[in-house]
Amino acid sequence: MDVNDLLTEGYGRLPDLVAGALDGLGPEQLRQAPVDGANPVGWLVWHLTRIQDHHVADVMGKEQLWVGGDWARRCGLRPDPDDTGYGHGPEQIAAVRPDDGGVLRDYHRAVVDRSLAYLRGLGPADLDRVVDDNWDPPVTLGVRLVSVLDDDLQHVGQAAYVRGLIRR
């Protein structure tokens, strides 16, 4: 298996996991935290999608889908390219108010589809390109792509767990 196949396999698994976490939940359930201070399913899926959109758009040198599309409005937010959920407090978490699970599912699908198209065009040498020299050692494209996948998998697992705690 080459690196493109490996990365596309990993990223390609995310939409089904996201759909499973969202399936059958209404707007109120998407915003329902299992306990005070915990992140609700809707916020978790929004956040993992924002991270992928933000980071992959950056390495592609493209505008985020969040900024150029209607996704922000449909989640009750502004299309702020820097708002990925990182460091959100309770008020900011509560402000993420998707119309329904379909909005999150569709935004996620659009982001993953673009990511997969990008990943399919990469060669092994591309993964060695430094994309962030604010770290020691500098972050390569390969490390960034694995980091995004790792973050997304952790958060979709959290969303699935929280979904199981919600009374329906």
Side-chain angles (χ1 to χ4, degrees), residues 61-79:
K62 303 280 186 183
E63 180 179 67
Q64 297 170 37
L65 297 177
W66 180 254
V67 174
D70 194 31
W71 306 112
R73 184 192 60 76
R74 295 181 66 199
C75 289
L77 300 167
R78 294 179 307 111

Side-chain angles (χ1 to χ4, degrees), residues 6 21 30 36 38 42 51 68-69 76 82 85-86 101 106 113 136 142 150 158 162:
L6 187 62
L30 291 170
D36 287 342
I51 290 295
D82 297 321
Y86 183 77
D106 293 348
D113 285 349
D136 186 19
D150 175 64
Q158 292 167 348
V162 171

Side-chain angles (χ1 to χ4, degrees), residues 80-94:
D80 180 350
D82 297 321
D83 186 8
T84 63
Y86 183 77
H88 268 191
E91 288 180 15
Q92 293 161 305
I93 291 168

Side-chain angles (χ1 to χ4, degrees), residues 5-143:
D5 292 341
L6 187 62
L7 288 169
T8 57
E9 176 67 23
Y11 278 77
R13 291 178 182 208
L14 291 167
D16 286 342
L17 297 171
V18 163
L22 296 171
D23 189 41
L25 298 182
E28 290 305 314
Q29 293 164 320
L30 291 170
R31 295 188 290 269
Q32 181 182 340
V35 295
D36 287 342
N39 296 321
V41 171
W43 184 90
L44 287 161
V45 171
W46 170 82
H47 169 65
L48 73 88
T49 308
R50 286 294 301 123
I51 290 295
Q52 187 177 150
D53 190 11
H54 178 275
H55 287 29
V56 175
D58 181 58
V59 298
M60 292 175 66
K62 303 280 186 183
E63 180 179 67
Q64 297 170 37
L65 297 177
W66 180 254
V67 174
D70 194 31
W71 306 112
R73 184 192 60 76
R74 295 181 66 199
C75 289
L77 300 167
R78 294 179 307 111
D80 180 350
D82 297 321
D83 186 8
T84 63
Y86 183 77
H88 268 191
E91 288 180 15
Q92 293 161 305
I93 291 168
V96 177
R97 302 179 64 82
D99 293 343
D100 56 39
V103 171
L104 295 172
R105 186 177 16 259
D106 293 348
Y107 173 45
H108 185 264
R109 172 50 45 181
V111 168
V112 169
D113 285 349
R114 182 164 83 164
S115 295
L116 290 172
Y118 175 68
L119 293 171
R120 287 184 193 105
L122 295 177
D126 295 320
L127 299 177
D128 293 330
R129 176 172 62 94
V130 172
V131 296
D132 188 347
D133 58 7
N134 292 316
W135 299 90
D136 186 19
V139 177
T140 63
L141 177 58
V143 168

